[in-house]
Amino acid sequence: MTLEAAHAALLAHLEAQERPVREIDRTFYDTFDGLLHAGELSVVREGGRLSLIEPGSGAERAGMTSSEPNQPLLAVALASGRLRDALLSVVEHRALLPLVQVCSRVRPLDVVDDEGKTVVRMRLEEPTLVSFNGRDTALRPRLTLAVVRGYDKALTRVRYRLEHELGFRPADQRLVDEAVRAAGRAPAGTSSKIDAALSLRQRADVATAAVLRGLLEVMKANVEGTIADIDSEFLHDYRVAVRRSRAVQKELSGVFPPAGLARFRQEFRWLQAITGDARDLDVYVLEFDHYRAMVPEGMHGDLDPLLGVLRERRLAARRKMVQALQSDRADRLYAQWSSFLGALESAPQEDRPDAARPIGEVSGERIAKVYERMVKMGDAIDGSSPPEDYHDLRKQGKELRYLIELFGAPLYPSEVIKPMVKSLKALQDALGRHQDREVQVATLRSLSHEVSGLPGGTAALMAMGVLVEHLGEDERAARAEFAQHFGEFASESQRELVRDTFG
Amino acid sequence: MSKVLATYNVKGGVGKTSAAVNLAYLAAHGGSHALLWDLDPQGASTYLFRVKPKVRGGGRNLVRLKTDVDDVIKGTDYEQLDLLPADFSYRHMDLALDATKRPTSRLSKVIKPLRDEYEWIFLDCPPSISLVSESVFDAADALLVPIIPATLSSRTFEQLTKLVQGGPQVLAFFSMVDGRKTLHREVMEELRSHSSSVLDAWIPASADVERMGARRAVIAEFAPRSRAALAYEELWDEVGRRLEDA
């Protein structure tokens, strides 16, 4: 059906009023990892208004006037109100990036009732993708329907008539998705999950290399956003991929030639070290509102000098990190790691005892081994154990978690994996809180001198004292919870399940 | 958080509805989400927006918070502009309010859940001094008071200022002004010299304003370049500035 024919058909069959033709200019947003797309939501800026659009009805869930130019938006930085709350619940810390700009010539046709009142808004639209490199691309014309509040039944009626009497078909994709595809990108965004189609009998070195290649892709995909400081999740995802790679390097070392592996393990340790401070300080700044909530309300403002110091330190840590991430050493590492993985399958096997064994067997062994190691370590922990014992257990827990996520979940039945992950997660949360609180107390102590010298420093120090006390209490609470969570993690039935499945 | 503006005057026929409808349109046209609550049982603004003057459960259930206000709001012909329609039962709104606890804070309570959703809420009030108007004074951040520049208008304005003392900000503006009449010019000058609450922008007596009833549309739609349309734009700009200053 041509646009003209559609226009004529609509006017002939529906009680519709033509409104003046207009041009509209829209910018669509989504997060790097496509959180809006996953929920079939969209965020659009049109005519000085930023709106979160519902799936299906096209109605606005929340919106606000906004004259910001098209640049990344952080929900937390928006003025308080419905849009901020609604976006925070969907995207949290992730920035909304301008994805595509679509300019449309629109012929509005309003379906009216017997009073001449608009009850459904239709627009026949000829959209054009405004290319970022200057060339525009025509997209398919489409008819969009928008509900008028309080007239939902009219929308249902019009939609029925369009589909059953006038031969219109629902679009196979949303305008934003069509535009993103036309711009050569994926509407679902870039995921930090890896998808390395594994099978139990696959050669261990081939499967391991596939997983590690996936992780390298995640690292590379997140470097740019980390350097540009678009949001805190780029660095977080980058670091998780580094840590997961390190866990695989360590636990599946039998698939690699030892000499080659040793050098890469050292380089990955370097990557983790150069990104550590910046990430820790990201977390302090992101969680600062939680810290404020830990002190009495009258003291909330007293913590401002501390926030100032944390922000400065964060910037300094970022500068160092960015320098390292942009270095030749980092570029070389990605390239050499990639070719090392590519050559793995054909490398000699004498010093790689696990290389040709099935991945199901090798990874199962490692999962069972790390699990048993944790059970042993945890059994030895009692109320008088030093914090390091908890930390060491937590590190093992992370390795186990990565092994399960990367190999356990794709290869083994979910009725085994799910309860294991659940009890491990609860244990790790308690261990994590224990360690984080301890580190936070130490950090606050180390900053006290610098903060005390600032204007408002005395009040800040007093508030920090209260904060340290609360963090200490929370650390003790986490320690007290440990026994229960560990009990579940290391229960007889759980141990039996692990032995039967992986042993 | 939204701003609640009420167009109010004890007298009828001074341009309250025209102001409410045209200013609400301008708010929405500027990209904000705006709501107009037609509190007048005569339902003039509801009629202008071509919506049926009917609220399920009537005014009584609305002020007793028995009606989910979300369910009775209607979209208008203008994007971003919604209407909480009039209902004939609003003529007994005083009685309905009187039967509640703390009647003067009732309208506030009704619109409370809407304040997150709409940046601007306009209350188009019936001409009276009553529980309804007291309740409006409680709910509104500012009263927009149209004044016809006639002999008694300054007295009415003084009465009103006294009445709402300590309540919402009062922003008065001249309405239905005939620039050719010496009396109008004199009254405007005099009242402005006495009170800083009187705005500079004013709305002319105009056939376009009268035609709104026949066209059932805002002036900006059928006479966008008319004096009246421009006057409402100036008024809206000035209201915005005054609210910011306050």
mmCIF file with all atom_site columns, all heavy atoms in Angstrom, chain A residues 476-498:
data_model
loop_
_atom_site.group_PDB
_atom_site.id
_atom_site.type_symbol
_atom_site.label_atom_id
_atom_site.label_alt_id
_atom_site.label_comp_id
_atom_site.label_asym_id
_atom_site.label_entity_id
_atom_site.label_seq_id
_atom_site.pdbx_PDB_ins_code
_atom_site.Cartn_x
_atom_site.Cartn_y
_atom_site.Cartn_z
_atom_site.occupancy
_atom_site.B_iso_or_equiv
_atom_site.pdbx_formal_charge
_atom_site.auth_seq_id
_atom_site.auth_comp_id
_atom_site.auth_asym_id
_atom_site.auth_atom_id
_atom_site.pdbx_PDB_model_num
ATOM 1   N N   . ARG A 1 476 ? 30.159 -6.453  61.740 1.00 0.00 ? 476 ARG A N   1
ATOM 2   C CA  . ARG A 1 476 ? 29.928 -7.497  62.749 1.00 0.00 ? 476 ARG A CA  1
ATOM 3   C C   . ARG A 1 476 ? 28.664 -8.299  62.424 1.00 0.00 ? 476 ARG A C   1
ATOM 4   O O   . ARG A 1 476 ? 28.631 -9.510  62.575 1.00 0.00 ? 476 ARG A O   1
ATOM 5   C CB  . ARG A 1 476 ? 29.835 -6.870  64.139 1.00 0.00 ? 476 ARG A CB  1
ATOM 6   C CG  . ARG A 1 476 ? 31.208 -6.455  64.678 1.00 0.00 ? 476 ARG A CG  1
ATOM 7   C CD  . ARG A 1 476 ? 31.136 -6.023  66.131 1.00 0.00 ? 476 ARG A CD  1
ATOM 8   N NE  . ARG A 1 476 ? 30.454 -4.755  66.318 1.00 0.00 ? 476 ARG A NE  1
ATOM 9   C CZ  . ARG A 1 476 ? 31.012 -3.556  66.094 1.00 0.00 ? 476 ARG A CZ  1
ATOM 10  N NH1 . ARG A 1 476 ? 32.267 -3.479  65.666 1.00 0.00 ? 476 ARG A NH1 1
ATOM 11  N NH2 . ARG A 1 476 ? 30.341 -2.450  66.286 1.00 0.00 ? 476 ARG A NH2 1
ATOM 12  N N   . ALA A 1 477 ? 27.632 -7.574  61.929 1.00 0.00 ? 477 ALA A N   1
ATOM 13  C CA  . ALA A 1 477 ? 26.385 -8.261  61.577 1.00 0.00 ? 477 ALA A CA  1
ATOM 14  C C   . ALA A 1 477 ? 26.646 -9.260  60.444 1.00 0.00 ? 477 ALA A C   1
ATOM 15  O O   . ALA A 1 477 ? 26.149 -10.390 60.462 1.00 0.00 ? 477 ALA A O   1
ATOM 16  C CB  . ALA A 1 477 ? 25.325 -7.248  61.157 1.00 0.00 ? 477 ALA A CB  1
ATOM 17  N N   . ALA A 1 478 ? 27.440 -8.836  59.446 1.00 0.00 ? 478 ALA A N   1
ATOM 18  C CA  . ALA A 1 478 ? 27.740 -9.717  58.314 1.00 0.00 ? 478 ALA A CA  1
ATOM 19  C C   . ALA A 1 478 ? 28.507 -10.947 58.801 1.00 0.00 ? 478 ALA A C   1
ATOM 20  O O   . ALA A 1 478 ? 28.280 -12.063 58.347 1.00 0.00 ? 478 ALA A O   1
ATOM 21  C CB  . ALA A 1 478 ? 28.539 -8.957  57.257 1.00 0.00 ? 478 ALA A CB  1
ATOM 22  N N   . ARG A 1 479 ? 29.413 -10.732 59.741 1.00 0.00 ? 479 ARG A N   1
ATOM 23  C CA  . ARG A 1 479 ? 30.193 -11.831 60.308 1.00 0.00 ? 479 ARG A CA  1
ATOM 24  C C   . ARG A 1 479 ? 29.251 -12.822 61.011 1.00 0.00 ? 479 ARG A C   1
ATOM 25  O O   . ARG A 1 479 ? 29.400 -14.041 60.889 1.00 0.00 ? 479 ARG A O   1
ATOM 26  C CB  . ARG A 1 479 ? 31.195 -11.264 61.303 1.00 0.00 ? 479 ARG A CB  1
ATOM 27  C CG  . ARG A 1 479 ? 32.359 -12.163 61.602 1.00 0.00 ? 479 ARG A CG  1
ATOM 28  C CD  . ARG A 1 479 ? 33.266 -11.472 62.604 1.00 0.00 ? 479 ARG A CD  1
ATOM 29  N NE  . ARG A 1 479 ? 34.498 -11.030 61.990 1.00 0.00 ? 479 ARG A NE  1
ATOM 30  C CZ  . ARG A 1 479 ? 35.701 -11.544 62.313 1.00 0.00 ? 479 ARG A CZ  1
ATOM 31  N NH1 . ARG A 1 479 ? 35.796 -12.489 63.217 1.00 0.00 ? 479 ARG A NH1 1
ATOM 32  N NH2 . ARG A 1 479 ? 36.786 -11.105 61.740 1.00 0.00 ? 479 ARG A NH2 1
ATOM 33  N N   . ALA A 1 480 ? 28.263 -12.256 61.719 1.00 0.00 ? 480 ALA A N   1
ATOM 34  C CA  . ALA A 1 480 ? 27.321 -13.108 62.442 1.00 0.00 ? 480 ALA A CA  1
ATOM 35  C C   . ALA A 1 480 ? 26.453 -13.921 61.482 1.00 0.00 ? 480 ALA A C   1
ATOM 36  O O   . ALA A 1 480 ? 26.059 -15.046 61.784 1.00 0.00 ? 480 ALA A O   1
ATOM 37  C CB  . ALA A 1 480 ? 26.441 -12.256 63.354 1.00 0.00 ? 480 ALA A CB  1
ATOM 38  N N   . GLU A 1 481 ? 26.198 -13.338 60.318 1.00 0.00 ? 481 GLU A N   1
ATOM 39  C CA  . GLU A 1 481 ? 25.356 -14.056 59.343 1.00 0.00 ? 481 GLU A CA  1
ATOM 40  C C   . GLU A 1 481 ? 26.124 -15.174 58.649 1.00 0.00 ? 481 GLU A C   1
ATOM 41  O O   . GLU A 1 481 ? 25.535 -16.077 58.061 1.00 0.00 ? 481 GLU A O   1
ATOM 42  C CB  . GLU A 1 481 ? 24.864 -13.092 58.255 1.00 0.00 ? 481 GLU A CB  1
ATOM 43  C CG  . GLU A 1 481 ? 23.696 -12.237 58.674 1.00 0.00 ? 481 GLU A CG  1
ATOM 44  C CD  . GLU A 1 481 ? 23.438 -11.148 57.634 1.00 0.00 ? 481 GLU A CD  1
ATOM 45  O OE1 . GLU A 1 481 ? 23.733 -11.374 56.449 1.00 0.00 ? 481 GLU A OE1 1
ATOM 46  O OE2 . GLU A 1 481 ? 22.963 -10.074 58.040 1.00 0.00 ? 481 GLU A OE2 1
ATOM 47  N N   . PHE A 1 482 ? 27.450 -15.049 58.690 1.00 0.00 ? 482 PHE A N   1
ATOM 48  C CA  . PHE A 1 482 ? 28.283 -15.983 57.922 1.00 0.00 ? 482 PHE A CA  1
ATOM 49  C C   . PHE A 1 482 ? 27.939 -17.447 58.210 1.00 0.00 ? 482 PHE A C   1
ATOM 50  O O   . PHE A 1 482 ? 27.730 -18.243 57.299 1.00 0.00 ? 482 PHE A O   1
ATOM 51  C CB  . PHE A 1 482 ? 29.764 -15.711 58.205 1.00 0.00 ? 482 PHE A CB  1
ATOM 52  C CG  . PHE A 1 482 ? 30.664 -16.816 57.753 1.00 0.00 ? 482 PHE A CG  1
ATOM 53  C CD1 . PHE A 1 482 ? 30.975 -16.954 56.406 1.00 0.00 ? 482 PHE A CD1 1
ATOM 54  C CD2 . PHE A 1 482 ? 31.169 -17.757 58.650 1.00 0.00 ? 482 PHE A CD2 1
ATOM 55  C CE1 . PHE A 1 482 ? 31.778 -17.988 55.976 1.00 0.00 ? 482 PHE A CE1 1
ATOM 56  C CE2 . PHE A 1 482 ? 31.969 -18.798 58.222 1.00 0.00 ? 482 PHE A CE2 1
ATOM 57  C CZ  . PHE A 1 482 ? 32.275 -18.912 56.880 1.00 0.00 ? 482 PHE A CZ  1
ATOM 58  N N   . ALA A 1 483 ? 27.849 -17.770 59.516 1.00 0.00 ? 483 ALA A N   1
ATOM 59  C CA  . ALA A 1 483 ? 27.677 -19.170 59.901 1.00 0.00 ? 483 ALA A CA  1
ATOM 60  C C   . ALA A 1 483 ? 26.449 -19.788 59.230 1.00 0.00 ? 483 ALA A C   1
ATOM 61  O O   . ALA A 1 483 ? 26.504 -20.888 58.687 1.00 0.00 ? 483 ALA A O   1
ATOM 62  C CB  . ALA A 1 483 ? 27.573 -19.277 61.416 1.00 0.00 ? 483 ALA A CB  1
ATOM 63  N N   . GLN A 1 484 ? 25.364 -19.026 59.261 1.00 0.00 ? 484 GLN A N   1
ATOM 64  C CA  . GLN A 1 484 ? 24.120 -19.546 58.678 1.00 0.00 ? 484 GLN A CA  1
ATOM 65  C C   . GLN A 1 484 ? 24.269 -19.787 57.166 1.00 0.00 ? 484 GLN A C   1
ATOM 66  O O   . GLN A 1 484 ? 23.929 -20.853 56.656 1.00 0.00 ? 484 GLN A O   1
ATOM 67  C CB  . GLN A 1 484 ? 22.993 -18.560 58.945 1.00 0.00 ? 484 GLN A CB  1
ATOM 68  C CG  . GLN A 1 484 ? 21.631 -19.086 58.525 1.00 0.00 ? 484 GLN A CG  1
ATOM 69  C CD  . GLN A 1 484 ? 20.700 -17.959 58.110 1.00 0.00 ? 484 GLN A CD  1
ATOM 70  O OE1 . GLN A 1 484 ? 20.804 -16.841 58.628 1.00 0.00 ? 484 GLN A OE1 1
ATOM 71  N NE2 . GLN A 1 484 ? 19.823 -18.248 57.177 1.00 0.00 ? 484 GLN A NE2 1
ATOM 72  N N   . HIS A 1 485 ? 24.798 -18.758 56.463 1.00 0.00 ? 485 HIS A N   1
ATOM 73  C CA  . HIS A 1 485 ? 24.918 -18.895 55.004 1.00 0.00 ? 485 HIS A CA  1
ATOM 74  C C   . HIS A 1 485 ? 25.909 -19.995 54.638 1.00 0.00 ? 485 HIS A C   1
ATOM 75  O O   . HIS A 1 485 ? 25.701 -20.743 53.691 1.00 0.00 ? 485 HIS A O   1
ATOM 76  C CB  . HIS A 1 485 ? 25.347 -17.566 54.381 1.00 0.00 ? 485 HIS A CB  1
ATOM 77  C CG  . HIS A 1 485 ? 24.302 -16.510 54.497 1.00 0.00 ? 485 HIS A CG  1
ATOM 78  N ND1 . HIS A 1 485 ? 23.001 -16.700 54.089 1.00 0.00 ? 485 HIS A ND1 1
ATOM 79  C CD2 . HIS A 1 485 ? 24.358 -15.255 55.008 1.00 0.00 ? 485 HIS A CD2 1
ATOM 80  C CE1 . HIS A 1 485 ? 22.307 -15.607 54.327 1.00 0.00 ? 485 HIS A CE1 1
ATOM 81  N NE2 . HIS A 1 485 ? 23.098 -14.716 54.894 1.00 0.00 ? 485 HIS A NE2 1
ATOM 82  N N   . PHE A 1 486 ? 26.989 -20.065 55.410 1.00 0.00 ? 486 PHE A N   1
ATOM 83  C CA  . PHE A 1 486 ? 27.964 -21.114 55.107 1.00 0.00 ? 486 PHE A CA  1
ATOM 84  C C   . PHE A 1 486 ? 27.347 -22.488 55.356 1.00 0.00 ? 486 PHE A C   1
ATOM 85  O O   . PHE A 1 486 ? 27.557 -23.421 54.586 1.00 0.00 ? 486 PHE A O   1
ATOM 86  C CB  . PHE A 1 486 ? 29.239 -20.923 55.936 1.00 0.00 ? 486 PHE A CB  1
ATOM 87  C CG  . PHE A 1 486 ? 30.257 -21.985 55.642 1.00 0.00 ? 486 PHE A CG  1
ATOM 88  C CD1 . PHE A 1 486 ? 30.963 -21.973 54.441 1.00 0.00 ? 486 PHE A CD1 1
ATOM 89  C CD2 . PHE A 1 486 ? 30.474 -23.032 56.527 1.00 0.00 ? 486 PHE A CD2 1
ATOM 90  C CE1 . PHE A 1 486 ? 31.876 -22.966 54.138 1.00 0.00 ? 486 PHE A CE1 1
ATOM 91  C CE2 . PHE A 1 486 ? 31.375 -24.039 56.229 1.00 0.00 ? 486 PHE A CE2 1
ATOM 92  C CZ  . PHE A 1 486 ? 32.085 -24.012 55.036 1.00 0.00 ? 486 PHE A CZ  1
ATOM 93  N N   . GLY A 1 487 ? 26.547 -22.587 56.434 1.00 0.00 ? 487 GLY A N   1
ATOM 94  C CA  . GLY A 1 487 ? 25.866 -23.847 56.749 1.00 0.00 ? 487 GLY A CA  1
ATOM 95  C C   . GLY A 1 487 ? 25.031 -24.337 55.575 1.00 0.00 ? 487 GLY A C   1
ATOM 96  O O   . GLY A 1 487 ? 25.046 -25.519 55.228 1.00 0.00 ? 487 GLY A O   1
ATOM 97  N N   . GLU A 1 488 ? 24.332 -23.428 54.944 1.00 0.00 ? 488 GLU A N   1
ATOM 98  C CA  . GLU A 1 488 ? 23.501 -23.819 53.793 1.00 0.00 ? 488 GLU A CA  1
ATOM 99  C C   . GLU A 1 488 ? 24.361 -24.205 52.596 1.00 0.00 ? 488 GLU A C   1
ATOM 100 O O   . GLU A 1 488 ? 24.096 -25.180 51.889 1.00 0.00 ? 488 GLU A O   1
ATOM 101 C CB  . GLU A 1 488 ? 22.556 -22.676 53.413 1.00 0.00 ? 488 GLU A CB  1
ATOM 102 C CG  . GLU A 1 488 ? 21.332 -22.625 54.311 1.00 0.00 ? 488 GLU A CG  1
ATOM 103 C CD  . GLU A 1 488 ? 20.637 -21.284 54.284 1.00 0.00 ? 488 GLU A CD  1
ATOM 104 O OE1 . GLU A 1 488 ? 20.719 -20.585 53.250 1.00 0.00 ? 488 GLU A OE1 1
ATOM 105 O OE2 . GLU A 1 488 ? 20.021 -20.937 55.316 1.00 0.00 ? 488 GLU A OE2 1
ATOM 106 N N   . PHE A 1 489 ? 25.413 -23.417 52.390 1.00 0.00 ? 489 PHE A N   1
ATOM 107 C CA  . PHE A 1 489 ? 26.302 -23.651 51.252 1.00 0.00 ? 489 PHE A CA  1
ATOM 108 C C   . PHE A 1 489 ? 26.985 -25.023 51.376 1.00 0.00 ? 489 PHE A C   1
ATOM 109 O O   . PHE A 1 489 ? 27.161 -25.729 50.389 1.00 0.00 ? 489 PHE A O   1
ATOM 110 C CB  . PHE A 1 489 ? 27.346 -22.530 51.199 1.00 0.00 ? 489 PHE A CB  1
ATOM 111 C CG  . PHE A 1 489 ? 28.433 -22.739 50.191 1.00 0.00 ? 489 PHE A CG  1
ATOM 112 C CD1 . PHE A 1 489 ? 28.196 -22.518 48.839 1.00 0.00 ? 489 PHE A CD1 1
ATOM 113 C CD2 . PHE A 1 489 ? 29.697 -23.161 50.582 1.00 0.00 ? 489 PHE A CD2 1
ATOM 114 C CE1 . PHE A 1 489 ? 29.205 -22.703 47.905 1.00 0.00 ? 489 PHE A CE1 1
ATOM 115 C CE2 . PHE A 1 489 ? 30.704 -23.357 49.652 1.00 0.00 ? 489 PHE A CE2 1
ATOM 116 C CZ  . PHE A 1 489 ? 30.451 -23.123 48.306 1.00 0.00 ? 489 PHE A CZ  1
ATOM 117 N N   . ALA A 1 490 ? 27.363 -25.365 52.610 1.00 0.00 ? 490 ALA A N   1
ATOM 118 C CA  . ALA A 1 490 ? 28.146 -26.590 52.821 1.00 0.00 ? 490 ALA A CA  1
ATOM 119 C C   . ALA A 1 490 ? 27.307 -27.721 53.415 1.00 0.00 ? 490 ALA A C   1
ATOM 120 O O   . ALA A 1 490 ? 27.849 -28.668 53.987 1.00 0.00 ? 490 ALA A O   1
ATOM 121 C CB  . ALA A 1 490 ? 29.336 -26.275 53.735 1.00 0.00 ? 490 ALA A CB  1
ATOM 122 N N   . SER A 1 491 ? 25.990 -27.623 53.270 1.00 0.00 ? 491 SER A N   1
ATOM 123 C CA  . SER A 1 491 ? 25.124 -28.648 53.869 1.00 0.00 ? 491 SER A CA  1
ATOM 124 C C   . SER A 1 491 ? 25.407 -30.019 53.248 1.00 0.00 ? 491 SER A C   1
ATOM 125 O O   . SER A 1 491 ? 25.930 -30.114 52.134 1.00 0.00 ? 491 SER A O   1
ATOM 126 C CB  . SER A 1 491 ? 23.650 -28.284 53.640 1.00 0.00 ? 491 SER A CB  1
ATOM 127 O OG  . SER A 1 491 ? 23.358 -28.400 52.264 1.00 0.00 ? 491 SER A OG  1
ATOM 128 N N   . GLU A 1 492 ? 25.064 -31.067 53.982 1.00 0.00 ? 492 GLU A N   1
ATOM 129 C CA  . GLU A 1 492 ? 25.345 -32.421 53.511 1.00 0.00 ? 492 GLU A CA  1
ATOM 130 C C   . GLU A 1 492 ? 24.695 -32.662 52.144 1.00 0.00 ? 492 GLU A C   1
ATOM 131 O O   . GLU A 1 492 ? 25.319 -33.217 51.235 1.00 0.00 ? 492 GLU A O   1
ATOM 132 C CB  . GLU A 1 492 ? 24.824 -33.435 54.558 1.00 0.00 ? 492 GLU A CB  1
ATOM 133 C CG  . GLU A 1 492 ? 25.407 -34.829 54.438 1.00 0.00 ? 492 GLU A CG  1
ATOM 134 C CD  . GLU A 1 492 ? 26.904 -34.861 54.113 1.00 0.00 ? 492 GLU A CD  1
ATOM 135 O OE1 . GLU A 1 492 ? 27.735 -34.288 54.880 1.00 0.00 ? 492 GLU A OE1 1
ATOM 136 O OE2 . GLU A 1 492 ? 27.256 -35.437 53.061 1.00 0.00 ? 492 GLU A OE2 1
ATOM 137 N N   . SER A 1 493 ? 23.447 -32.193 51.990 1.00 0.00 ? 493 SER A N   1
ATOM 138 C CA  . SER A 1 493 ? 22.748 -32.451 50.719 1.00 0.00 ? 493 SER A CA  1
ATOM 139 C C   . SER A 1 493 ? 23.436 -31.708 49.565 1.00 0.00 ? 493 SER A C   1
ATOM 140 O O   . SER A 1 493 ? 23.571 -32.243 48.462 1.00 0.00 ? 493 SER A O   1
ATOM 141 C CB  . SER A 1 493 ? 21.282 -32.032 50.830 1.00 0.00 ? 493 SER A CB  1
ATOM 142 O OG  . SER A 1 493 ? 21.190 -30.660 51.126 1.00 0.00 ? 493 SER A OG  1
ATOM 143 N N   . GLN A 1 494 ? 23.884 -30.513 49.848 1.00 0.00 ? 494 GLN A N   1
ATOM 144 C CA  . GLN A 1 494 ? 24.567 -29.730 48.819 1.00 0.00 ? 494 GLN A CA  1
ATOM 145 C C   . GLN A 1 494 ? 25.886 -30.413 48.410 1.00 0.00 ? 494 GLN A C   1
ATOM 146 O O   . GLN A 1 494 ? 26.208 -30.496 47.228 1.00 0.00 ? 494 GLN A O   1
ATOM 147 C CB  . GLN A 1 494 ? 24.839 -28.318 49.384 1.00 0.00 ? 494 GLN A CB  1
ATOM 148 C CG  . GLN A 1 494 ? 25.359 -27.311 48.391 1.00 0.00 ? 494 GLN A CG  1
ATOM 149 C CD  . GLN A 1 494 ? 24.305 -26.873 47.394 1.00 0.00 ? 494 GLN A CD  1
ATOM 150 O OE1 . GLN A 1 494 ? 24.266 -27.367 46.266 1.00 0.00 ? 494 GLN A OE1 1
ATOM 151 N NE2 . GLN A 1 494 ? 23.422 -25.987 47.805 1.00 0.00 ? 494 GLN A NE2 1
ATOM 152 N N   . ARG A 1 495 ? 26.600 -30.892 49.404 1.00 0.00 ? 495 ARG A N   1
ATOM 153 C CA  . ARG A 1 495 ? 27.891 -31.540 49.127 1.00 0.00 ? 495 ARG A CA  1
ATOM 154 C C   . ARG A 1 495 ? 27.685 -32.807 48.298 1.00 0.00 ? 495 ARG A C   1
ATOM 155 O O   . ARG A 1 495 ? 28.455 -33.099 47.372 1.00 0.00 ? 495 ARG A O   1
ATOM 156 C CB  . ARG A 1 495 ? 28.611 -31.881 50.435 1.00 0.00 ? 495 ARG A CB  1
ATOM 157 C CG  . ARG A 1 495 ? 29.007 -30.624 51.185 1.00 0.00 ? 495 ARG A CG  1
ATOM 158 C CD  . ARG A 1 495 ? 29.584 -30.916 52.552 1.00 0.00 ? 495 ARG A CD  1
ATOM 159 N NE  . ARG A 1 495 ? 30.880 -31.573 52.470 1.00 0.00 ? 495 ARG A NE  1
ATOM 160 C CZ  . ARG A 1 495 ? 31.687 -31.723 53.517 1.00 0.00 ? 495 ARG A CZ  1
ATOM 161 N NH1 . ARG A 1 495 ? 31.318 -31.272 54.702 1.00 0.00 ? 495 ARG A NH1 1
ATOM 162 N NH2 . ARG A 1 495 ? 32.836 -32.318 53.385 1.00 0.00 ? 495 ARG A NH2 1
ATOM 163 N N   . GLU A 1 496 ? 26.633 -33.510 48.657 1.00 0.00 ? 496 GLU A N   1
ATOM 164 C CA  . GLU A 1 496 ? 26.324 -34.735 47.922 1.00 0.00 ? 496 GLU A CA  1
ATOM 165 C C   . GLU A 1 496 ? 25.999 -34.424 46.460 1.00 0.00 ? 496 GLU A C   1
ATOM 166 O O   . GLU A 1 496 ? 26.472 -35.078 45.533 1.00 0.00 ? 496 GLU A O   1
ATOM 167 C CB  . GLU A 1 496 ? 25.127 -35.400 48.589 1.00 0.00 ? 496 GLU A CB  1
ATOM 168 C CG  . GLU A 1 496 ? 25.056 -36.893 48.379 1.00 0.00 ? 496 GLU A CG  1
ATOM 169 C CD  . GLU A 1 496 ? 23.962 -37.489 49.240 1.00 0.00 ? 496 GLU A CD  1
ATOM 170 O OE1 . GLU A 1 496 ? 23.985 -37.236 50.480 1.00 0.00 ? 496 GLU A OE1 1
ATOM 171 O OE2 . GLU A 1 496 ? 23.075 -38.130 48.684 1.00 0.00 ? 496 GLU A OE2 1
ATOM 172 N N   . LEU A 1 497 ? 25.209 -33.377 46.283 1.00 0.00 ? 497 LEU A N   1
ATOM 173 C CA  . LEU A 1 497 ? 24.803 -32.963 44.937 1.00 0.00 ? 497 LEU A CA  1
ATOM 174 C C   . LEU A 1 497 ? 26.042 -32.595 44.107 1.00 0.00 ? 497 LEU A C   1
ATOM 175 O O   . LEU A 1 497 ? 26.157 -32.979 42.936 1.00 0.00 ? 497 LEU A O   1
ATOM 176 C CB  . LEU A 1 497 ? 23.867 -31.754 45.058 1.00 0.00 ? 497 LEU A CB  1
ATOM 177 C CG  . LEU A 1 497 ? 22.991 -31.416 43.866 1.00 0.00 ? 497 LEU A CG  1
ATOM 178 C CD1 . LEU A 1 497 ? 22.041 -32.559 43.549 1.00 0.00 ? 497 LEU A CD1 1
ATOM 179 C CD2 . LEU A 1 497 ? 22.180 -30.147 44.162 1.00 0.00 ? 497 LEU A CD2 1
ATOM 180 N N   . VAL A 1 498 ? 26.959 -31.863 44.710 1.00 0.00 ? 498 VAL A N   1
ATOM 181 C CA  . VAL A 1 498 ? 28.179 -31.464 44.006 1.00 0.00 ? 498 VAL A CA  1
ATOM 182 C C   . VAL A 1 498 ? 29.004 -32.704 43.641 1.00 0.00 ? 498 VAL A C   1
ATOM 183 O O   . VAL A 1 498 ? 29.469 -32.838 42.507 1.00 0.00 ? 498 VAL A O   1
ATOM 184 C CB  . VAL A 1 498 ? 29.006 -30.472 44.863 1.00 0.00 ? 498 VAL A CB  1
ATOM 185 C CG1 . VAL A 1 498 ? 30.373 -30.203 44.219 1.00 0.00 ? 498 VAL A CG1 1
ATOM 186 C CG2 . VAL A 1 498 ? 28.243 -29.163 45.031 1.00 0.00 ? 498 VAL A CG2 1
#
